[in-house]
């Protein structure tokens, strides 16, 4: 099929996050300004420099039958929970084909994580060392492979148009959704289940991120530790969970009478080519991604009223992003209500782009921007460049078409900006 | 002390329940692991390893393919248990 330029819409959303086991509870937590960060009570946490994290509110094993759960890495469990919610939310009653509303040959799945099945890998290495070769689970490989969440979601919904797993650290979830938008736009698929997942609350990632000085060590105040834009921010708080959306061509959605949350306008992509982990301090790469978005789509900056920022609560990263928004959008940035939802969910790494896309789409749908919590002393450089939604949720304009951005950036210098707007 | 046929079937039933979620009462001598009990090839490896540990028996990979039913496995364990 020759390339087309089809309109893509969001027709289903699903999530399991530190704030709740589904979208409704997650959204309620986001709007209420609730923190999902807790002290790590496990024995292994005692000698870690970082002893806080944002675990999921509902264990996936409470939802997934045990025989299925035990052969899925935790990251795939999260993805499956979120994907099933999104699939049902989109109005599908069974997997593709069994539900005649979607043709399996025209259905894709694109689910990403930043680290893959790291807990399976490390746990099975412990089994190998402690119990020997024979006891290593035969499910280890299909559990730890980074494409496992995507493949398992693809199996669950019956996706035959293609199952993909872009990997770009903390931009992975957003890159997956961007990839899915292109699959539909160019005619490869009519419906794609897309999002991000991560399950990395384990002693090794905690020690490793901690030793990079990337994480907050505010162990005495877990709920106040993730504080994007505050002058006392000292790094991110590791979260876990998944966010998944059902994307669909506008034509396909209209034909089956689906509810549409928002239009997925498109994506802007760039790479920093600056440093393997440090953000470029002036946000040059981010600016390129934003410009790329404007060149590739018909997004009107005058319509943008909200940005779900990447803002992880690191000293350099938070400001670089706001500088880029100001540089590219100029005075239009005055009407961007900027929210850093990681202040509540922590940083879900590859899951962030998925969960924050769900939050961005709902912000447009309900016309309300979630707050950034824990901003007691707003960084003057943030104040100079952006209108940060602090403390409480803020209503967005009630009339006319409005648009929002969801930014995600990853170690390696990956920048992905997704744009959505009301229909 | 060697396990009896009854004890072996009960033990296999617990293992299959843990791995495949099949009710223990459904695990009978004439049941096929793959066709009746939702035990696919990877899960069969898990069943074998768990049975080896439980009944102090070695089941080499080349013998696993002959264990089609719970009865096959029970007979094998009865014959080879330590």
């Amino acid at each position: 099929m020759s390339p087309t330029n089809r309109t893509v819409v969001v027709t289903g959303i699903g999530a399991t996050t530190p704030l709740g086991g589904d979208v409704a509870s997650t959204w309620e937590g986001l709007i209420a300004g609730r923190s999902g960060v807790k002290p790590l009570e496990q024995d292994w946490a005692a000698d870690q420099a970082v002893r806080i994290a944002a675990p999921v509110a509902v264990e996936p094993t409470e939802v997934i039958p045990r025989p299925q759960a035990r052969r899925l890495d935790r990251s795939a469990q999260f993805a499956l929970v979120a994907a099933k919610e999104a699939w049902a939310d989109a109005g599908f009653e069974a997997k593709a084909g069994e539900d005649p509303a979607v043709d399996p040959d025209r259905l894709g799945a694109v689910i990403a994580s930043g680290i893959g099945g790291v807990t399976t890998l490390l746990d099975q290495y412990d089994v190998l060392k402690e119990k020997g070769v024979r006891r290593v689970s035969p499910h280890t490989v299909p559990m730890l492979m980074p494409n496992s969440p995507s493949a398992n979601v693809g199996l669950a919904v019956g996706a035959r148009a293609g199952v993909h797993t872009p990997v770009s650290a903390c931009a992975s979830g957003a890159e997956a959704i961007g990839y899915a938008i292109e699959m539909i736009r160019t005619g490869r698929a009519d419906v794609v289940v897309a999002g991000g997942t991560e399950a990395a609350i384990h002693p090794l990632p905690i020690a490793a991120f901690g030793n990079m000085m990337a994480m907050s060590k505010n162990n005495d105040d877990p709920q106040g530790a993730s504080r994007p834009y505050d002058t006392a921010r000292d790094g991110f708080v590791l979260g876990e969970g998944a966010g998944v959306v059902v994307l669909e061509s506008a034509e396909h959605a209209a034909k089956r009478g689906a509810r549409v949350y928002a239009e997925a306008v498109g994506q802007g992509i760039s790479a920093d080519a600056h440093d393997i982990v440090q953000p470029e301090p002036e946000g040059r790469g981010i600016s390129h991604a934003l410009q790329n978005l404007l060149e590739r789509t018909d997004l009107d900056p005058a319509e943008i009223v909200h940005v779900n920022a990447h803002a992880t609560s690191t000293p350099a990263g938070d400001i670089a992003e706001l500088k880029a928004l100001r540089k590219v959008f100029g005075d239009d940035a005055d009407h961007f209500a900027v929210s850093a939802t990681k202040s509540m969910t922590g940083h879900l790494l590859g899951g962030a782009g998925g969960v924050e896309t769900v939050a961005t789409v709902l912000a447009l749908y309900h016309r309300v921007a979630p707050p950034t919590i824990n901003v007691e002393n707003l960084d003057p450089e943030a104040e100079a460049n952006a209108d940060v939604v602090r403390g409480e949720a803020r209503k967005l304009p009630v009339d006319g078409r409005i648009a929002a951005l969801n930014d995600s950036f990853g170690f390696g210098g990956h920048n992905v900006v997704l744009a959505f707007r009301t229909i | 002390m060697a396990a009896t046929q009854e004890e072996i079937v009960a033990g296999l039933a617990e293992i299959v329940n843990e791995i495949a979620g099949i009710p223990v009462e459904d695990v009978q001598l004439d049941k096929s692991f793959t066709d009746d009990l939702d035990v696919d090839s990877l899960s069969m490896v898990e069943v074998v390893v768990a049975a080896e540990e439980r009944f102090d028996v070695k089941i080499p990979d080349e013998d696993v393919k002959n264990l089609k039913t719970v009865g096959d496995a029970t007979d094998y364990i009865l014959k080879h248990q330590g």
Side-chain angles (χ1 to χ4, degrees):
Chain A
M1 187 180 287
S2 64
T4 62
N5 197 23
R6 306 196 300 170
T7 300
V8 181
V9 294
V10 180
T11 55
I13 51 179
T16 182
T17 73
L19 299 179
D22 58 12
V23 167
S25 52
T26 296
W27 180 245
E28 183 271 321
L30 287 172
I31 292 304
R34 200 148 49 77
S35 170
V37 183
K38 293 173 179 167
L40 285 168
E41 310 280 9
Q42 296 91 329
D43 291 343
W44 56 257
D47 57 356
Q48 295 266 355
V50 174
R51 297 186 296 280
I52 50 174
V56 289
V58 177
E59 279 298 312
T61 45
E62 289 179 29
V63 189
I64 301 173
R66 192 189 59 201
Q68 187 182 13
R70 63 192 298 283
R71 45 202 302 176
L72 295 172
D73 180 76
R74 191 170 171 82
S75 63
Q77 293 175 359
F78 295 153
L80 203 59
V81 170
K84 284 188 168 178
E85 185 188 11
W87 188 250
D89 186 53
F92 298 121
E93 288 169 359
K95 69 197 310 196
E98 291 171 19
D99 184 332
V102 54
D103 175 357
D105 291 339
R106 301 290 301 159
L107 170 67
V110 191
I111 310 284
S113 85
I115 310 189
V118 64
T119 56
T120 295
L121 175 65
L122 295 167
D123 289 348
Q124 289 300 314
Y125 189 55
D126 288 344
V127 170
L128 173 68
K129 284 185 299 179
E130 289 161 17
K131 297 178 177 169
V133 170
R134 187 71 170 157
R135 294 293 297 277
V136 171
S137 169
H139 301 294
T140 303
V141 171
M143 285 172 75
L144 71 80
M145 59 193 196
N147 54 314
S148 180
S150 210
N152 278 290
V153 167
L155 275 170
V157 297
R160 294 185 189 157
V163 172
H164 306 280
T165 310
V167 176
S168 48
C170 304
S172 301
E175 193 166 356
I177 291 166
Y179 191 101
I181 293 170
E182 296 304 321
M183 280 179 81
I184 297 170
R185 193 185 299 297
T186 57
R188 273 186 61 202
D190 293 327
V191 182
V192 181
V193 182
T197 186
E198 203 78 75
I201 300 178
H202 178 286
L204 186 84
I206 299 257
F209 280 120
N211 288 349
M212 290 178 81
M213 317 295 276
M215 293 171 92
S216 172
K217 296 185 174 71
N218 195 351
N219 298 311
D220 296 333
D221 180 17
Q223 303 213 335
S226 185
R227 46 196 314 121
Y229 309 130
D230 185 87
T231 50
R233 67 190 183 278
D234 69 332
F236 75 86
V237 174
L238 184 60
E240 64 173 3
V244 171
V245 295
V246 173
L247 296 162
E248 193 165 355
S249 77
E251 189 185 4
H252 193 273
K255 204 168 77 183
R256 68 184 187 91
R259 172 206 37 213
V260 173
Y261 284 101
E263 178 188 351
V265 182
Q267 63 177 336
I269 295 181
S270 75
D272 282 353
H274 168 72
D275 187 271
I276 194 68
V277 292
Q278 294 298 331
E280 200 284 321
E282 297 304 309
R284 199 177 54 223
I286 301 168
S287 298
H288 286 164
L290 292 166
Q291 281 155 354
N292 181 248
L293 173 73
L294 293 175
E295 286 158 14
R296 289 171 53 164
T297 67
D298 64 350
L299 182 70
D300 178 359
E303 291 179 350
I304 303 172
V305 296
H306 172 55
V307 177
N308 188 307
H310 182 64
T312 62
S313 186
T314 59
D318 292 9
I319 299 301
E321 178 182 12
L322 297 183
K323 284 181 179 172
L325 285 165
R326 178 60 72 181
K327 183 182 165 196
V328 173
F329 291 104
D331 291 344
D332 276 316
D334 289 342
H335 51 76
F336 297 178
V338 177
S339 304
T341 50
K342 289 185 182 79
S343 60
M344 296 171 276
T345 62
H347 186 3
L348 277 69
L349 309 180
V355 169
E356 288 157 24
T357 287
V358 169
T360 306
V361 164
L362 281 179
L364 290 173
Y365 191 66
H366 295 304
R367 294 183 180 245
V368 57
T372 308
I373 65 168
N374 297 324
V375 187
E376 288 168 14
N377 296 295
L378 183 62
D379 186 318
E381 282 203 281
E383 189 160 28
N385 287 292
D387 177 11
V388 174
V389 182
R390 284 189 279 168
E392 293 185 351
R394 187 193 296 176
K395 283 184 176 151
L396 295 172
V398 292
D399 295 318
R401 190 165 75 171
I402 56 173
L405 306 180
N406 172 23
D407 293 348
S408 293
F409 317 124
F411 281 172
H414 311 275
N415 307 302
V416 180
V417 181
L418 299 173
F420 301 89
R421 67 187 166 204
T422 53
I423 51 161
Chain B
M1 185 161 146
T4 64
Q5 186 194 54
E6 202 175 315
E7 287 166 345
I8 292 168
V9 174
L12 288 173
E14 280 180 28
I15 291 167
V16 170
N17 173 261
E18 169 66 24
I19 289 167
I22 301 294
V24 288
E25 59 270 23
D26 291 355
V27 182
Q28 308 278 349
L29 286 172
D30 62 336
K31 292 287 164 58
S32 156
F33 287 108
T34 48
D35 298 340
D36 302 321
L37 302 176
D38 264 359
V39 177
D40 63 13
S41 60
L42 293 186
S43 294
M44 190 62 197
V45 178
E46 287 189 287
V47 170
V48 165
V49 171
E52 284 184 337
E53 181 154 305
R54 188 167 185 135
F55 301 111
D56 188 22
V57 61
K58 282 274 166 278
I59 310 176
D61 290 348
E62 57 270 27
D63 290 344
V64 172
K65 61 180 183 299
N66 300 322
L67 308 182
K68 306 279 191 218
T69 66
V70 175
D72 295 340
T74 304
D75 290 345
Y76 190 95
I77 293 164
L78 269 174
K79 199 168 152 193
H80 294 90
Q81 63 186 336

